[in-house]
Amino acid sequence: MNQTIKIQALTLALVLVSGCQKNEISEQNTAQQPTTSSQKEQVLVKDVKKAVEINKQKTTNAFSNNGEKITFDAPNLVKGTEVFNHAMQERGIATGAIYLTLKENSLPIELSSQYTLKKMTNKNYRYIADKNTDLLKVQNAFKQNANVDVVEIKIDYSPIKEVM
C-alpha cells in the first residue's frame, strides 16, 4: 500500500511538472508573436486584395489556332509572346510566322498586294510578321478572305529556357 501511494504521488508530480512546461512553452510562443488575430486577418485581407489587383491587371487572351485553344497573358500577340496550348498542355512562343492554305493554287491579288507572302508549296504560303505586328489581327484578316482555307500561327514548343 505504501508503494502504491508513492507511485501515485510520483505520477501526480510528473503530470504537474509536464503541465507547467507546456504552459511555459505556449506563453513563449505568444510572446514571440505580437500580432493579434485581427491584425493577421487584416494582413490576409490585404494579401487577397493585392492578388485580385494583380489578376485584374493580367489580361488573359485566347484564340483558336487550327482548332486548338491557345491562351496568352499579354495585351497583344506579337512575335516572342509566351502562349499556352490547352490541347497539348504545353507552353510555347509565337514565332511571328503565319501559314496559309489557299482553296486554289493562285494567290489572290488582295493578299499579294497587302502582305509579303512566300510560297511554300502549291497552295501553302508563309507570312513573316514584324516584331510589333499583332498576329491576331493579321490572322483574322486572312480568315476573312474567301480564298483562304486554313490559317495557322506558328508556335515554337521547344523548351522555353533553350529558346530564350
Side-chain angles (χ1 to χ4, degrees):
M1 186 148 180
N2 198 9
Q3 197 175 20
T4 308
I5 293 174
K6 285 182 183 178
I7 292 174
Q8 288 177 345
L10 183 60
T11 307
L12 181 62
L14 287 173
V15 169
L16 290 174
V17 171
S18 67
C20 291
Q21 289 175 350
K22 287 182 183 177
N23 234 0
E24 290 171 5
I25 291 171
S26 66
E27 286 175 10
Q28 288 174 357
N29 285 343
T30 56
Q32 291 174 357
Q33 299 174 355
T35 58
T36 64
S37 63
S38 65
Q39 288 174 333
K40 288 179 185 177
E41 288 175 8
Q42 289 175 350
V43 169
L44 289 175
V45 168
K46 287 180 183 177
D47 289 343
V48 169
K49 286 182 180 178
K50 284 181 185 177
V52 167
E53 286 300 316
I54 289 170
N55 285 336
K56 282 183 182 177
Q57 291 172 356
K58 282 186 178 180
T59 55
T60 301
N61 295 307
F63 67 98
S64 176
N65 197 31
N66 203 12
E68 295 179 344
K69 181 180 179 182
I70 308 287
T71 57
F72 60 98
D73 295 330
N76 295 322
L77 181 65
V78 295
K79 181 179 181 177
T81 302
E82 186 176 326
V83 299
F84 182 74
N85 184 321
H86 291 267
M88 295 174 28
Q89 294 294 307
E90 290 285 334
R91 293 204 173 277
I93 300 209
T95 63
I98 300 176
Y99 289 89
L100 309 171
T101 302
L102 301 177
K103 293 178 181 176
E104 298 179 9
N105 285 339
S106 62
L107 180 63
I109 294 172
E110 62 268 12
L111 289 178
S112 63
S113 64
Q114 196 171 5
Y115 301 100
T116 305
L117 298 169
K118 181 176 180 178
K119 187 173 187 171
M120 306 304 289
T121 63
N122 271 346
K123 295 182 182 182
N124 295 314
Y125 290 82
R126 179 183 67 197
Y127 170 75
I128 304 284
D130 294 330
K131 184 178 180 181
N132 296 323
T133 302
D134 188 349
L135 298 172
L136 289 180
K137 287 182 181 178
V138 177
Q139 180 191 38
N140 289 333
F142 287 147
K143 283 182 177 180
Q144 290 176 0
N145 190 300
N147 296 315
V148 176
D149 190 25
V150 178
V151 180
E152 184 173 351
I153 296 174
K154 184 173 187 299
I155 308 291
D156 184 359
Y157 293 104
S158 300
I160 290 176
K161 290 179 182 175
E162 290 179 15
V163 175
M164 293 287 191

